[in-house]
Amino acid sequence: MGLFDDDFYSTKVSRRVRTTSSRDEFAFSNKKGMRSWSNVRVAFVASFTSAVAAVLLFVLVFGGGGFGPGSHPASVSASGSTSLEQRTIQASAKVRPAVVSVINEQTVPYGLMPDTGSTEDGTGSGNDSQVQGSKQEVGVGSGVIFKLENGKAYIITNHHVIANAESVKVLLVNGEKREAKIVGSDQITDLAVLEMDGKDIKTVAEIGKSSKLQPAEFVLAIGNPLGLGDSLAMGIVSKTHRIVPVSLNEDGVYDWQQEVIQVNVSINEGNSGGPLINMDGKVVGINSMKIAEVGVEGLGFAIPIDNAMPIVDSLMEKGYVSRPYLGVYTVDLEQYFAQQQMTDQPAGGDTKAGKGEGSANEDSAEVQDLPDLKLPDEVLDGVIVLEAVGPAKEAGLALNDVIVKLDEQSIGSTMELRKYLYDQKKIGDDIKVTFYHDGKLKTASFKLEEKTKDE
């Protein structure tokens, strides 16, 4: 996903110190003073004092669970650490049987064999077992079983884990491999749902509430990092709500913003799609990506489970996510101007155009192929229409029109267009598009339709 990749880093678990204190005060009042007490009362007080002293000595020597006026800090700290360790063990044991490895298989075309090593003379592949034109394992990620129904087990994973897969296999924690089917997938949210035979599947992960997470709360990431199999990593929640830009088409152009949980648990390649769980063993996020830059460590991200479950429900019901559909494929005007400044340079690195409202696999035009645009000098931000279809085409938008507003909201990029459309509008809503056509400012109003799976 552009600069974002899947990578996880494990941190040292800090000890949690709990201290509780209580004080019991005993007052004996006698107007004549202690010297007038009876022998019985003096004996009672002496016995009680001895008993209290014995209890305090026991607590100091053996530790008393962190209570009483003489609680020892070291005893309390050790007790708290043991409690955290037990919660970690119990939480992971609760979820681990529901965590699976997800294998993406694709046909390797002739002449495009993956580099699996060199022979002694430095030429050719070192793996003779792979045959060009056959299906090969091209990627491995993780997933979590969240539902059992009618003999089927359903798995949440990332879209990028199963993207372009011709077949998908699931590896259970016991080592058994099963065929899986893609129920639905959504590139925008990077989520997908798989279905497999539910025979002998006993454990289903419990879904928690990401809205209840707090900064510094301990969390566990479970998955299949680097293809090594079942693995755990622990850390804390760095920030419960973070917005990061992503490149949906992996072309270096940020065209979406993802809402994520930031954690200092690292997500290594293969950890993607696995669950992020709290200390109660409940899924609070789906591990998704990291900042993949030199010198950056412990900066991983997970999709909040509160955001994920409505998408999962839509994928289960329809196989896709229902969103309002404007019907334009666009490129940012800023990219166009940048390309215009490079016209004197030799043809080389092609600059790809942005892909409209979020479609995954359109063939995009190159910015350098666009004709000169007729725009007022003050217009520097907007999106160029590469193709208009559906409702936009019917409303009169065409190639090379430049959209500058949706309703009264200024639009300066494809990202802003998507965010306004998906966050602020619903299917069936009216929308007003303000755009330049042959240098003239125009508007078009129409109803937003539903974007189907094919579109």
Side-chain angles (χ1 to χ4, degrees):
M1 301 183 72
L3 288 178
F4 303 100
D5 204 350
D6 31 340
D7 216 64
F8 248 66
Y9 171 125
S10 198
T11 59
K12 184 177 180 181
V13 180
S14 300
R15 291 185 173 182
R16 182 179 60 184
V17 179
R18 295 183 305 166
T19 58
T20 58
S21 63
S22 61
R23 179 176 297 172
D24 296 325
E25 297 180 355
F26 298 87
F28 297 90
S29 60
N30 191 305
K31 294 182 180 179
K32 295 182 181 181
M34 289 290 294
R35 284 180 293 184
S36 64
W37 284 6
S38 66
N39 291 336
V40 174
R41 295 182 70 182
V42 171
F44 172 79
V45 172
S47 299
F48 180 81
T49 303
S50 299
V52 171
V55 170
L56 293 177
L57 181 61
F58 180 87
V59 170
L60 288 172
V61 175
F62 299 103
F67 62 90
S71 296
H72 196 280
S75 299
V76 177
S77 178
S79 175
S81 176
T82 301
S83 175
L84 177 60
E85 291 169 2
Q86 289 301 317
R87 291 186 67 189
T88 302
I89 294 170
Q90 293 169 3
S92 61
K94 183 178 178 181
V95 182
R96 288 175 83 170
V99 180
V100 300
S101 297
V102 178
I103 302 170
N104 182 329
E105 294 184 336
Q106 299 176 26
T107 300
V108 179
Y110 289 95
L112 294 177
M113 282 285 290
D115 184 7
T116 58
S118 300
T119 55
E120 292 181 356
D121 62 0
T123 61
S125 174
N127 189 347
D128 294 332
S129 64
Q130 290 188 330
V131 180
Q132 289 180 325
S134 64
K135 285 184 181 179
Q136 305 292 340
E137 178 182 309
V138 299
V140 179
S142 304
V144 58
I145 301 170
F146 74 99
K147 187 175 185 178
L148 284 175
E149 187 177 74
N150 299 325
K152 300 293 184 182
Y154 294 92
I155 301 163
I156 303 175
T157 187
N158 286 142
H159 165 83
H160 74 263
V161 169
I162 53 86
N164 303 316
E166 296 178 28
S167 62
V168 176
K169 288 186 172 60
V170 169
L171 187 66
L172 305 181
V173 71
N174 63 3
E176 180 186 353
K177 186 179 288 187
R178 297 187 182 182
E179 296 282 346
K181 181 180 76 173
I182 300 174
V183 175
S185 184
D186 183 57
Q187 185 188 28
I188 294 289
T189 56
D190 195 26
L191 290 167
V193 174
L194 309 178
E195 173 190 290
M196 71 175 182
D197 184 3
K199 182 181 178 181
D200 297 328
I201 301 295
K202 306 296 183 184
T203 304
V204 173
E206 184 178 355
I207 303 299
K209 289 285 187 181
S210 53
S211 58
K212 293 184 177 181
L213 284 174
Q214 299 181 42
E217 181 174 343
F218 284 106
V219 286
L220 286 168
I222 311 179
N224 179 28
L226 305 177
L228 298 176
D230 179 38
S231 182
L232 295 168
M234 186 174 182
I236 63 169
V237 174
S238 303
K239 192 171 179 64
T240 58
H241 182 267
R242 176 76 73 190
I243 300 296
V244 296
V246 295
S247 176
L248 294 176
N249 301 294
E250 299 184 0
D251 57 4
V253 177
Y254 295 137
D255 44 17
W256 185 244
Q257 290 179 324
Q258 189 75 280
E259 179 181 339
V260 292
I261 304 164
Q262 181 184 328
V263 294
N264 73 342
V265 188
S266 303
I267 305 175
N268 288 306
E269 183 180 351
N271 240 132
S272 285
L276 184 75
I277 67 172
N278 62 17
M279 291 297 98
D280 294 324
K282 296 180 180 180
V283 179
V284 292
I286 302 298
N287 303 320
S288 181
M289 56 188 174
K290 73 161 188 176
I291 298 291
E293 293 184 358
V294 176
V296 177
E297 293 182 347
L299 199 58
F301 300 100
I303 302 166
I305 200 64
D306 291 0
N307 296 3
M309 290 314 295
I311 302 299
V312 168
D313 291 341
S314 181
L315 294 176
M316 290 282 288
E317 180 183 354
K318 299 181 177 181
Y320 63 95
V321 178
S322 180
R323 292 190 176 94
Y325 184 46
L326 188 63
V328 291
Y329 302 107
T330 63
V331 61
D332 294 353
L333 188 59
E334 181 182 5
Q335 288 179 263
Y336 173 85
F337 287 141
Q339 184 64 34
Q340 289 297 95
Q341 295 177 0
M342 299 171 61
T343 53
D344 293 336
Q345 297 182 9
D350 294 340
T351 302
K352 294 291 185 180
K355 291 14 171 232
E357 296 171 27
S359 298
N361 297 308
E362 299 99 8
D363 292 328
S364 61
E366 295 178 2
V367 179
Q368 63 205 41
D369 293 334
L370 294 175
D372 291 336
L373 300 176
K374 297 177 181 179
L375 290 173
D377 292 340
E378 66 271 15
V379 177
L380 301 175
D381 296 308
V383 293
I384 306 170
V385 176
L386 298 180
E387 183 181 4
V389 297
K393 183 178 181 179
E394 293 173 5
L397 274 80
L399 174 69
N400 298 333
D401 287 348
V402 178
I403 298 174
V404 293
K405 281 186 179 181
L406 293 181
D407 295 330
E408 299 305 316
Q409 175 70 45
S410 295
I411 299 297
S413 66
T414 298
M415 181 190 294
E416 292 179 4
L417 183 147
R418 281 198 180 106
K419 292 294 291 183
Y420 182 79
L421 195 61
Y422 297 160
D423 292 349
Q424 305 298 325
K425 309 297 285 188
K426 297 179 181 179
I427 297 166
D429 284 355
D430 291 323
I431 192 168
K432 182 174 74 172
V433 181
T434 303
F435 62 100
Y436 283 93
H437 179 81
D438 289 334
K440 297 179 180 179
L441 190 63
K442 294 188 174 183
T443 61
S445 298
F446 53 92
K447 286 187 179 295
L448 293 169
E449 298 180 2
E450 179 180 5
K451 185 173 184 179
T452 66
K453 183 177 181 180
D454 292 337
E455 292 169 328

